[in-house]
Amino acid sequence: MTDDDTNRRGDSSDNQSTADSIGRLERRDYLRSVGIAGLLGGLGVGAGVPGTVGAQQANWEDEADDRIEEYRAGDLEVDVVNPDGSPVDGATVEVTQQAHEYSFGTMIHAEFLIDQAEWGEEMHTPEDQVEYEETVEDLFNMVVLENLHKWNLWEDNIDIADAAVDWAVERDMDVRGHVALWGNIDGHAVPPRVVEAMGDPWASDWDEAGEPDYDPEYVVSEAMDHIEEIISHYGDDVAEWEVKNEVIHETAMIEAVEGENADPVEAEILGDWYEHAEDVANQYGVDIAVNDFNTLVGPYQDTRDDYERQIDYLVNDRGIDLDGIGFQCHFAANETLEPDAILDGLEQFEGYGAGFRASEFDTFQGNWSSPDEQGEYLYDFMKTWFSHPNTDAFLVWGHWDGVHWGPEYDGSDADAPLFDEDWNEKPGYDAYTDLVFDEWWTDESGTSDDGVYETTAFLGEHEITVSTDAESTTETVSVTDADGTRTVEITVEGDGNGDEDPGNGDNGDNGDDDNGDGDYPEWDADEVYTEGDRVSWDGTNWEAQWWTQNQEPGTNQWGPWEEV
């Protein structure tokens, strides 16, 4: 993190009430002006049987795959030439994806990540903490803090929050800011001094507040100052901020300013907060977003309509250049939507120029029949969501039962989508990794024809390795345009090597067992391996389950290697 003029992180010690040292607790512009109205059906709500989501629309998955091919992948042309510019025929070309452009993220428990603790008390084991770090880094490219960017908690725990953001930025992960303002007083999201100024009934109803001292101007001033402070504090280390979370449901701050009869979604103070946030965020190139629940799940059309009114007010009445629309996506078993209903729900929010974020996906509530059912619904929802051209982020609200929010929320058993408390993989893990690191992951190879090799690649970063009879060279390129062709010229010595089955490795030999005797190449920390590659290491043969590099076989039970 930087301490230069574009980032106020260096001044955080002046704004916190905890000790100076870290201690225990006390975007993307990928929108296309494409409507999909012709693809949409009517609203349909599941009745607790998400595994049969496709029954009423037998070809939903084929249609989703077609949209994914159109919106999530681009053409890639590799021109292979000799130093004199002449084309090289028959060179081996391998294309291996390294990263997605699309955002796949998770909520993180900042204190456990940094300090192996929760609310100041040691939690789980050091091994769990290591596993937590590794799975977050391996499976996701975006994170959002569960609690410690909420106003009151942030002021008391800036060091932990900063350390978690640092951790993510050091790993080239994007961070969503959740949240600048949230009116949930019982959730410790509003500082006591502000609750006191909100007056009754809020100050009297909250034990941590002092005597009510109604002062709405103070509430407005403090909120404005906090919006500027938290956005400026992180600068562009946080890619996007939800300015006011759950406007429809958590109305206290707006009512304190404008009265109990105020319409929260069209409140003047709401527009003022967003205008101020936009002015500050624009200084750092940071996005601003809205976020709320029951806006896509279940049969809550009234909530969906209120959400659209809020967005329409901000964009069209107040002139806000809104970047993101967050749909929390907490699906109980009786609130699931069929694929056509998901698309129908999203259609209502097209035309506002903002990307769609599935900001808090999970399936922990309701009477799900089995983990298999939950995994099937995650698969169906993810594929439908990814196929819509306006979506650009999918985040699960925590991936591991060990730090799941359910028990604290309503006493429910922890039920994260991917791992149980002992790090056993759930069916949701298989659904997630099969899509993100297999079905939507480029791993192609072939030979150049008159110097040209062409393929289709998912949007993101790729390594291209070209091999001839004289040498092999690798370049990294980004494919970012689904509507065009990314052309890259690679210069090599030599002629084509005539290998029509180059395999998956940098030299076309990853996983090859040329003699049929079970002997595989020795694992190399610098080598890139993809699903199906086999190596020998420490007297054992191993097979890669997904893309990996510099992860030693046998050192991590939940790592990418499986013993053959």
Side-chain angles (χ1 to χ4, degrees):
M1 301 259 174
T2 60
D3 291 323
D4 57 20
D5 292 339
T6 64
N7 191 308
R8 289 170 48 191
R9 296 287 294 285
D11 299 328
S12 62
S13 60
D14 296 333
N15 303 312
Q16 67 184 69
S17 59
T18 54
D20 290 338
S21 60
I22 295 176
R24 298 296 170 93
L25 275 184
E26 219 229 72
R27 99 144 215 112
R28 310 179 192 276
D29 296 328
Y30 177 72
L31 295 182
R32 294 177 172 81
S33 55
V34 179
I36 60 167
L39 298 174
L40 303 179
L43 178 64
V45 179
V49 194
T52 62
V53 147
Q56 296 182 30
Q57 186 183 355
N59 61 342
W60 77 265
E61 189 166 10
D62 289 339
E63 293 177 356
D65 288 336
D66 289 343
R67 292 191 298 273
I68 289 168
E69 183 178 359
E70 180 177 0
Y71 300 124
R72 303 301 177 199
D75 293 331
L76 175 64
E77 178 181 310
V78 182
D79 296 336
V80 185
V81 298
N82 283 144
D84 63 3
S86 60
V88 179
D89 188 53
T92 298
V93 181
E94 301 161 74
V95 180
T96 306
Q97 190 157 358
Q98 307 297 301
H100 278 286
E101 179 186 68
Y102 199 92
S103 296
F104 294 100
T106 186
M107 172 268 283
I108 57 172
H109 188 303
E111 191 189 8
F112 182 75
L113 179 78
I114 300 302
D115 229 10
Q116 197 208 315
E118 182 176 56
W119 309 125
E121 299 294 330
E122 185 174 294
M123 187 184 194
H124 300 301
T125 68
E127 292 77 17
D128 286 324
Q129 185 189 32
V130 170
E131 196 70 40
Y132 188 69
E133 288 192 52
E134 290 182 350
T135 52
V136 172
E137 184 176 1
D138 288 347
L139 297 175
F140 307 102
N141 58 16
M142 172 179 277
V143 297
V144 57
L145 275 60
E146 179 182 19
N147 287 313
L148 297 193
H149 279 155
K150 297 168 184 173
W151 188 357
N152 185 37
L153 295 172
W154 181 69
E155 288 188 341
D156 287 343
N157 304 285
I158 292 177
D159 281 346
I160 294 286
D162 286 359
V165 172
D166 285 339
W167 182 91
V169 171
E170 288 166 3
R171 289 158 177 79
D172 296 323
M173 305 178 82
D174 288 335
V175 180
R176 293 194 77 240
H178 174 79
V179 52
L181 300 177
W182 187 36
N184 190 319
I185 295 168
D186 290 335
H188 299 269
V190 186
R193 67 183 186 278
V194 177
V195 177
E196 292 162 15
M198 290 168 61
D200 279 332
W202 305 286
S204 297
D205 290 345
W206 194 43
D207 292 341
E208 295 190 25
E211 290 297 317
D213 184 15
Y214 183 58
D215 187 350
E217 292 183 359
Y218 181 80
V219 175
V220 172
S221 175
E222 286 292 285
M224 289 291 195
D225 288 348
H226 175 65
I227 288 170
E228 182 167 354
E229 179 184 20
I230 197 167
I231 295 175
S232 300
H233 179 78
Y234 290 103
D236 62 5
D237 286 340
V238 173
E240 176 175 84
W241 282 98
E242 298 163 4
V243 179
K244 178 69 171 71
N245 188 41
E246 297 179 356
V247 169
I248 299 169
H249 299 93
E250 298 293 345
T251 60
M253 291 182 66
I254 292 175
E255 290 180 10
V257 174
E258 297 200 2
E260 63 180 10
N261 294 322
D263 180 359
V265 302
E266 296 184 355
E268 182 177 1
I269 188 58
L270 178 67
D272 294 345
W273 283 331
Y274 268 86
E275 283 181 357
H276 186 51
E278 183 176 29
D279 288 343
V280 178
N282 284 345
Q283 299 176 36
Y284 306 99
V286 172
D287 290 348
I288 58 173
V290 295
N291 191 54
D292 217 318
F293 64 88
N294 287 354
T295 52
L296 189 61
V297 306
Y300 306 115
Q301 188 60 47
D302 287 347
T303 303
R304 198 175 294 173
D305 291 342
D306 283 341
Y307 201 38
E308 186 187 9
R309 282 201 302 120
Q310 174 190 340
I311 294 164
D312 188 73
Y313 169 70
L314 291 173
V315 173
N316 292 325
D317 291 0
R318 299 300 296 263
I320 303 299
D321 185 10
L322 193 66
D323 300 292
I325 300 174
F327 301 87
Q328 289 189 11
C329 297
H330 296 290
F331 285 98
N334 63 344
E335 296 174 327
T336 61
L337 297 179
E338 297 178 3
D340 60 341
I342 295 169
L343 297 175
D344 193 29
L346 293 178
E347 182 189 18
Q348 186 169 347
F349 300 92
E350 294 174 5
Y352 291 103
F356 299 160
R357 284 67 151 145
S359 57
E360 305 182 17
F361 179 92
D362 64 20
T363 56
F364 94 94
Q365 294 175 305
N367 297 317
W368 293 90
S369 65
S370 67
D372 286 334
E373 185 184 46
Q374 291 167 292
E376 289 167 8
Y377 188 70
L378 184 149
Y379 177 93
D380 292 345
F381 180 86
M382 279 190 71
K383 176 162 283 195
T384 305
W385 179 268
F386 188 63
S387 76
H388 191 290
N390 283 37
T391 71
D392 49 24
F394 172 86
L395 295 89
V396 295
W397 200 242
H399 68 296
W400 174 49
D401 280 358
V403 290
H404 189 257
W405 68 296
E408 187 171 289
Y409 171 68
D410 64 359
S412 301
D413 292 336
D415 193 5
L418 305 190
F419 297 98
D420 69 15
E421 190 167 337
D422 295 324
W423 292 105
N424 296 308
E425 298 166 3
K426 298 185 179 183
Y429 171 90
D430 294 331
Y432 178 87
T433 55
D434 285 350
L435 291 173
V436 176
F437 297 110
D438 186 2
E439 188 170 331
W440 303 334
W441 192 259
T442 306
D443 184 13
E444 301 290 340
S445 60
T447 56
S448 60
D449 182 4
D450 196 24
V452 177
Y453 172 75
E454 296 176 318
T455 191
T456 300
F458 285 99
L459 304 184
E461 186 176 282
H462 300 75
E463 278 190 354
I464 301 176
T465 298
V466 175
S467 302
T468 67
D469 58 0
E471 65 172 345
S472 178
T473 186
T474 299
E475 293 189 14
T476 300
V477 302
S478 293
V479 180
T480 59
D481 185 3
D483 297 323
T485 299
R486 175 70 161 94
T487 301
V488 58
E489 182 176 278
I490 297 180
T491 302
V492 290
E493 299 279 358
D495 298 320
N497 57 17
D499 184 354
E500 296 182 359
D501 184 17
N504 292 315
D506 286 354
N507 298 303
D509 61 358
N510 280 6
D512 287 346
D513 178 15
D514 295 332
N515 299 320
D517 57 4
D519 292 331
Y520 298 98
E522 185 176 59
W523 173 77
D524 184 343
D526 295 327
E527 190 79 35
V528 171
Y529 300 96
T530 58
E531 182 182 10
D533 289 343
R534 293 189 175 189
V535 298
S536 177
W537 185 246
D538 198 24
T540 302
N541 292 329
W542 304 86
E543 182 174 299
Q545 303 305 297
W546 57 80
W547 183 95
T548 179
Q549 185 179 35
N550 196 28
Q551 291 181 283
E552 182 179 348
T555 58
N556 184 344
Q557 180 182 2
W558 309 111
W561 294 104
E562 182 176 284
E563 185 174 346
V564 177

